[in-house]
Amino acid sequence: MRLAFLGPVGTYGEQAAQRLAGLEGLEGVEFVPQQGIRVVIRALADGDCDLAVVPVENSVEGGVTSCLDALWEHPDLAVARALVLPIRHALVGSGPLEGISEVLSHPQALAQCSLWLGEQLPQALQLPTSSTAEAARLVRGSRFRGAIASVEAAAEHGLQVLAYPINDVPGNCTRFLLLRRGERSQRGPYASVAFSLHSNRPGALLESLGCFARQGLNMSRIESRPSKREMGEYIFFVDLELPEGAAPLEGAIADLTPLCEHLALFGAYPLSNLAVEEKAP
Ligand SMILES: O=C(O)C(=O)C[C@]1(C(=O)O)C=C[C@@H](O)C=C1
């Protein structure tokens, strides 16, 4: 079984992929690194891989927009499981911290460390890369370039840890999804849906959210993304808690369907939260 993740080795995506494969009880998994989140999803959609792991939301920076857009574009993909991973960034490199004039990393990681960078390396140029581990790979051999990546990525790519932890919020964590092709389940403690509405009129969004409220479903997240067709037209992404099985979800979807131009259930699935487990005594 081939599992696509955001490469190269040493990304948080790889850590999440290994944990999620373990939680699914999968054996003999071949972890296949890819060059970007959209490429990860395409590897699954095109049949090159059987599973994919992608980040969907960070506790500080919010939704990973490329993941949300790709889910909307691929109705053949389903969410099988979710995992919240604590994210503890390090500044890694080969020279002393004082000599660093360029910092490379994934834009999400640069944003998650922006206060630290502003205080410790205010003059350094910030350069975006396709992943944190790619940044680590690129700074090898340089004394003036540093990367924001995990401590594991530093070891993987033969770099020193120059500062740790450097994320601005101590509880920084990212939610990852395990995706597969095929039917989207309606059974599980969490569900993700997205919809676009027929009409842009007063109360239209309120009416659509009422479908969840009437079934007693708690929304754990709502986020809108532009439809990309015209200004002011949106797709709404909603995560729901399903404490009482599939029936309330089926009821909500039945009520919501006539209000929507397009409605997609990405699946109902279990979620493991390693950030909560880390805090537990
Ligand atoms: O670059 C990585 O290591 C990733 O796994 C990507 C990613 C992201 O896209 O959010 C994952 C976790 C962190 O939030 C920072 C970067």
Side-chain angles (χ1 to χ4, degrees), residues 27-44:
E27 279 171 24
V29 177
E30 186 187 344
F31 294 91
V32 188
Q34 309 286 336
Q35 265 279 344
I37 291 167
R38 280 185 167 274
V39 190
V40 172
I41 294 185
R42 206 178 317 128
L44 175 64

Side-chain angles (χ1 to χ4, degrees), residues 16-281:
Q18 285 175 352
R19 293 282 195 147
L20 281 159
L23 287 163
E24 282 285 292
L26 303 174
E27 279 171 24
V29 177
E30 186 187 344
F31 294 91
V32 188
Q34 309 286 336
Q35 265 279 344
I37 291 167
R38 280 185 167 274
V39 190
V40 172
I41 294 185
R42 206 178 317 128
L44 175 64
D46 292 352
D48 178 39
C49 288
D50 312 289
L51 296 163
V53 167
V54 280
V56 66
E57 184 185 17
N58 174 260
S59 59
V60 179
E61 283 303 304
V64 178
T65 51
S66 52
C67 175
L68 298 176
D69 290 350
L71 275 175
W72 181 252
E73 286 160 21
H74 288 284
D76 45 330
L77 305 185
V79 179
R81 191 177 271 278
L83 174 80
V84 177
L85 190 74
I87 304 290
R88 305 287 174 265
H89 294 301
L91 188 80
V92 306
S94 308
L97 182 60
E98 306 72 55
I100 299 294
S101 58
E102 291 183 3
V103 177
L104 284 70
S105 201
H106 188 279
Q108 277 271 346
L110 289 169
Q112 291 160 26
C113 303
S114 62
L115 291 178
W116 187 89
L117 287 170
E119 279 164 18
Q120 303 295 324
L121 294 170
Q123 310 297 341
L125 200 61
Q126 296 179 20
L127 299 171
T129 56
S130 59
S131 74
T132 56
E134 177 67 2
R137 198 183 65 79
L138 288 170
V139 305
R140 268 166 68 170
S142 168
R143 290 184 64 77
F144 68 91
R145 286 181 138 190
I148 296 177
S150 67
V151 170
E152 291 82 355
E156 188 70 51
H157 295 274
L159 298 165
Q160 294 160 25
V161 174
L162 310 180
Y164 175 82
I166 63 163
N167 33 284
D168 298 332
V169 177
N172 189 31
C173 50
T174 296
R175 188 158 51 99
F176 288 85
L177 300 178
L178 176 68
L179 305 176
R180 55 170 171 69
R181 286 186 305 278
E183 230 171 82
R184 295 169 162 188
S185 164
Q186 300 217 358
R187 294 187 186 276
Y190 293 90
S192 296
V193 299
F195 56 89
S196 57
L197 294 169
H198 277 306
S199 55
N200 179 4
R201 57 172 172 76
L205 180 59
L206 185 65
E207 193 185 348
S208 64
L209 299 184
C211 300
F212 304 125
R214 279 194 300 281
Q215 298 288 340
L217 292 176
N218 188 38
M219 292 197 308
S220 52
R221 162 168 165 250
I222 179 164
E223 183 160 347
S224 57
R225 290 280 304 139
S227 72
K228 302 187 181 62
R229 290 190 310 200
E230 61 179 86
M231 190 73 172
E233 199 184 67
Y234 293 97
I235 300 160
F236 300 98
F237 290 78
V238 172
D239 285 354
L240 299 162
E241 292 168 13
L242 307 178
E244 288 168 46
L249 179 64
E250 281 164 18
I253 299 273
D255 285 359
L256 188 56
T257 301
L259 309 178
C260 296
E261 182 200 35
H262 185 60
L263 169 73
L265 168 68
F266 299 138
Y269 50 85
L271 177 141
S272 311
N273 191 334
L274 299 184
V276 170
E277 285 171 26
E278 190 184 61
K279 261 194 255 157

